[in-house]
Amino acid sequence: MRTFAIGDIHGGLKALTQVLNQLELKDGDKIIFMGDYVDGWSESAQVVDTLIDLSKKIDCIFIKGNHDVWCEDWLKNDTVNPSWYMHGGKETMESYHYFSIAEKKEHIAFFENAKMYYLDNNNRLFLHAGFTSMHGVEKEPFQKTFCLDRTLWEMAVSMDKNIAKDTSFYPKRLQHYKEIYIGHTPTTNYGIPTPVNIANLWNIDTGAAFKGKITAINIDTKAYFQSDNLPGLYPNEKGRN
């Protein structure tokens, strides 16, 4: 049995299909999706449809991202967050144009059932963005932090790599878990097109919303699989650029 984590998708169904084809999934495999399924490229609703269908064949864990929260709110209440609209919401709304009420209700259920974080049996943590509590995710006071936090990543980026793990100076948030997997902050912001590992933290958002790729990583072997760059797959679109 293999377990893969897949980073931010942002409506890029063509890229997601490329990645899934590379994985050559088999019975017993598991995929942990890291959130932000929508907003960016033109196939957000179709991405959600594909994930729902895939979950009927393969063991899937779906993490909720901040863009998914906005989309869920729109589907439920028809409320359009202005910030969301400007950052991919417009394209997501258009992708739902031909979807029936029943199909939209199925997507609402998908978002409602998505997890804020997932902790596996090997003490590996998966969440979209990060957390702030020094006592771990169970003590996080604000649920929305899991979708929005960047301080965990920024701490890792700036930390002194020479700090020993067994000293009081080592960041406590990193000590709770064997490994932590996140998305949310594109590695391409730092000029890196591949997953980034700092200490026990893995960032697998490789900029699919913008000019990068969708990435899947085997969490045991650390082999990773990537799509083409999204602008090449959607040449007549801007994504979130």
Side-chain angles (χ1 to χ4, degrees), residues 65-130:
N66 56 305
H67 287 267
D68 308 318
V69 172
W70 287 326
C71 182
E72 178 186 352
D73 189 45
W74 170 68
L75 286 171
K76 283 182 176 180
N77 306 310
D78 202 30
T79 55
V80 180
N81 182 303
S83 179
W84 173 63
Y85 187 84
M86 295 296 295
H87 292 279
K90 176 179 179 291
E91 290 74 19
T92 295
M93 293 169 66
E94 291 172 350
S95 74
Y96 275 98
H97 185 72
Y98 294 105
F99 276 65
S100 67
I101 292 175
E103 289 170 326
K104 289 179 179 179
K105 286 183 177 179
E106 186 178 25
H107 286 205
I108 290 172
F110 169 83
F111 288 123
E112 287 178 337
N113 291 326
K115 299 177 181 292
M116 300 307 290
Y117 65 85
Y118 172 68
L119 189 62
D120 74 4
N121 292 331
N122 293 313
N123 197 35
R124 294 177 291 199
L125 175 67
F126 303 81
L127 72 172
H128 179 64

Side-chain angles (χ1 to χ4, degrees), residues 4-9 32-35 126-128 153 180-187 193-197 201-208 213-219 222 224-226:
F4 300 98
I6 294 183
D8 302 36
I9 297 169
I32 303 166
F33 290 91
M34 304 297 295
F126 303 81
L127 72 172
H128 179 64
W153 169 247
I180 303 172
Y181 290 82
I182 62 169
H184 191 52
T185 303
T187 63
T194 56
V196 173
N197 171 224
L201 180 68
W202 287 84
N203 184 345
I204 58 171
D205 175 2
T206 50
K213 312 169 187 290
I214 292 176
T215 295
I217 187 169
N218 183 317
I219 65 171
K222 303 303 185 285
Y224 62 87
F225 308 83
Q226 294 189 296

Side-chain angles (χ1 to χ4, degrees), residues 169-186:
F169 295 99
Y170 198 81
K172 290 182 173 58
R173 280 185 285 178
L174 300 181
Q175 293 177 335
H176 293 289
Y177 307 103
K178 179 180 179 181
E179 291 178 329
I180 303 172
Y181 290 82
I182 62 169
H184 191 52
T185 303

